[in-house]
Amino acid sequence: MRDTRESRLLLVLLIAIAFALITVDIRGGEESPVDGARQAASTVFGPVENGVAAAVDPVGNAIGAVRASGDRHDKIAALEQQNAALKAKLGSDDQNRSRVRELDKMLKKSAAGQYGIKAAEVIAIGAAQGFSWTVTIDAGSRDGLKRDMTVLNGDGLVGRVTTVGPDTATVLLANDPDFTVGTRMESTDELGFATGQGSRPLAVQFLNGKAKVKKGDRLVTFGSSKDKPFVPGVPVGEVVRVDPSGGDLTRTVYVRPYVGFTKLDIVGIVVQAPREDPRDMVLPKKPAKPAKPKPTPTVTVTISPNGDIVDTGGNVVGNIHESANPSGGPSPNPSGNATPNADNAVNEQR
């Protein structure tokens, strides 16, 4: 439509009519004179609106999905956190079970040796004193700890207490080069001194240069005066190598310690020494030796000229003719020649 004076007047007239109808409709309420026209328009244009709504509905769903995606992301993140928490709890349970086993084993060791111990946890490695092989434990003077107390775990000798604070203490490990402990060998009671060598086996010098030592022999602590710094009977380790004596006054062997110094967790500090030396009672039981195989009996038999089989006791246990011909057929010639079949062989050649 062209923008003319008539078109403008028509537009103004239509707008005025529209406002007039709106006013009449509002004032009329439920009895509005245009209500019939509204219902007719709804009847005509309702199906069209439903069709358009159906066509646009996927778009609306997509928009709703985009709006809800943030909520789902938050739910997924929450589930992931819960999953991580459950995994951590399971891992913690496994660790707790492992620590309970360690504590139980240590308590059994202390019961066997009649040691009074104070349990503690390793909370740090190394110390300000500059020792190369030390750990810090979460027990101190308030727990009754003092310098030069023996430290052990469920496997054996861990070390000795060197520094004590109110709530913590430093333990010098048995594999430190500055560590030395008196030892006694199981059964033979040969005495020696074990010295730490870091990650290598302990070096043990026996006082007897002619001491009979072999691989697999086991050692325990000999004990100190007034049980400090070492109480007796604590397992130290097992001999893994023996150097030739060479006529020296002492003899050196190498011992693999029972304790794994790189994986310490729960330890026990001996706060009360045993009344009597437990000697070898704290050592674990040796594995049973495998039974020697029984020799298979050998039976010697001889064959008599008539074919009887005779054992070493002179008893006839059979006859070669019977065993070779159980059906009762012709027996073979004892000389080994196939005489009965000779004619057949000649005929075949002809």
Side-chain angles (χ1 to χ4, degrees):
M1 181 183 295
R2 294 182 180 181
D3 187 11
T4 60
R5 185 177 181 181
E6 290 80 4
S7 62
R8 291 178 183 178
L9 292 174
L10 180 59
L11 178 61
V12 172
L13 181 60
L14 290 175
I15 293 174
I17 294 171
F19 276 107
L21 292 174
I22 292 173
T23 302
V24 172
D25 185 33
I26 292 174
R27 290 182 178 181
E30 295 181 359
E31 297 179 357
S32 174
V34 297
D35 186 61
R38 184 186 298 114
Q39 292 180 359
S42 176
T43 303
V44 174
F45 295 106
V48 178
E49 291 176 352
N50 290 334
V52 173
V56 179
D57 189 59
V59 179
N61 290 339
I63 294 173
V66 172
R67 291 176 179 175
S69 62
D71 296 337
R72 284 201 298 269
H73 179 74
D74 294 340
K75 292 180 180 179
I76 292 172
L79 291 174
E80 289 177 349
Q81 292 178 356
Q82 293 177 5
N83 191 20
L86 288 174
K87 288 181 179 180
K89 184 178 180 180
L90 290 175
S92 177
D93 290 343
D94 291 341
Q95 183 181 9
N96 290 336
R97 283 192 291 269
S98 176
R99 300 180 74 181
V100 167
R101 288 194 296 268
E102 286 293 323
L103 182 60
D104 181 66
K105 188 164 60 172
M106 184 177 67
L107 292 176
K108 289 179 179 178
K109 277 281 192 294
S110 63
Q114 297 298 309
Y115 307 123
I117 64 170
K118 170 67 178 179
E121 180 182 356
V122 174
I123 57 176
I125 58 174
Q129 290 83 349
F131 298 127
S132 56
W133 289 90
T134 60
V135 294
T136 302
I137 58 177
D138 63 348
S141 59
R142 295 178 181 175
D143 302 293
L145 270 60
K146 297 179 181 179
R147 181 182 170 88
D148 288 335
M149 283 185 167
T150 306
V151 183
L152 51 80
N153 68 359
D155 297 318
L157 180 66
V158 173
R160 62 180 175 88
V161 177
T162 57
T163 305
V164 181
D167 301 306
T168 60
T170 302
V171 177
L172 179 66
L173 301 181
N175 64 335
D176 188 275
D178 291 335
F179 186 96
T180 301
V181 59
T183 62
R184 181 179 57 79
M185 193 163 70
E186 180 185 16
S187 301
T188 65
D189 292 339
E190 292 286 352
L191 302 182
F193 292 94
T195 303
Q197 297 193 112
S199 57
R200 295 179 296 169
L202 306 176
V204 179
Q205 280 192 336
F206 284 104
L207 301 181
N208 181 8
K210 297 181 180 180
K212 294 182 179 180
V213 189
K214 65 182 182 300
K215 185 177 179 181
D217 286 343
R218 305 185 296 178
L219 286 81
V220 298
T221 56
F222 175 68
S224 307
S225 175
K226 297 182 180 179
D227 299 314
K228 287 189 176 182
F230 303 107
V231 294
V234 180
V236 175
E238 184 177 304
V239 175
V240 292
R241 183 161 64 92
V242 180
D243 282 353
S245 60
D248 297 335
L249 296 178
T250 60
R251 188 171 192 181
T252 303
V253 301
Y254 298 92
V255 174
R256 181 181 63 246
Y258 289 122
V259 173
F261 298 104
T262 59
K263 51 183 180 180
L264 293 172
D265 187 11
I266 303 296
V267 298
I269 302 87
V270 181
V271 295
Q272 183 177 358
R275 295 181 179 180
E276 297 180 359
D277 185 351
R279 300 186 67 83
D280 303 335
M281 294 177 60
V282 188
L283 284 169
K285 293 183 180 180
K286 287 185 176 181
K289 294 182 179 180
K292 294 183 179 180
K294 295 181 179 180
T296 303
T298 303
V299 179
T300 303
V301 296
T302 57
I303 302 176
S304 61
N306 62 353
D308 290 340
I309 302 174
V310 183
D311 62 11
T312 52
N315 301 316
V316 177
V317 295
N319 188 284
I320 59 172
H321 303 314
E322 295 176 355
S323 59
N325 296 275
S327 60
S331 301
N333 193 321
S335 62
N337 297 326
T339 305
N341 297 326
D343 295 339
N344 295 336
V346 173
N347 293 332
E348 289 178 0
Q349 291 179 359
R350 290 178 181 178

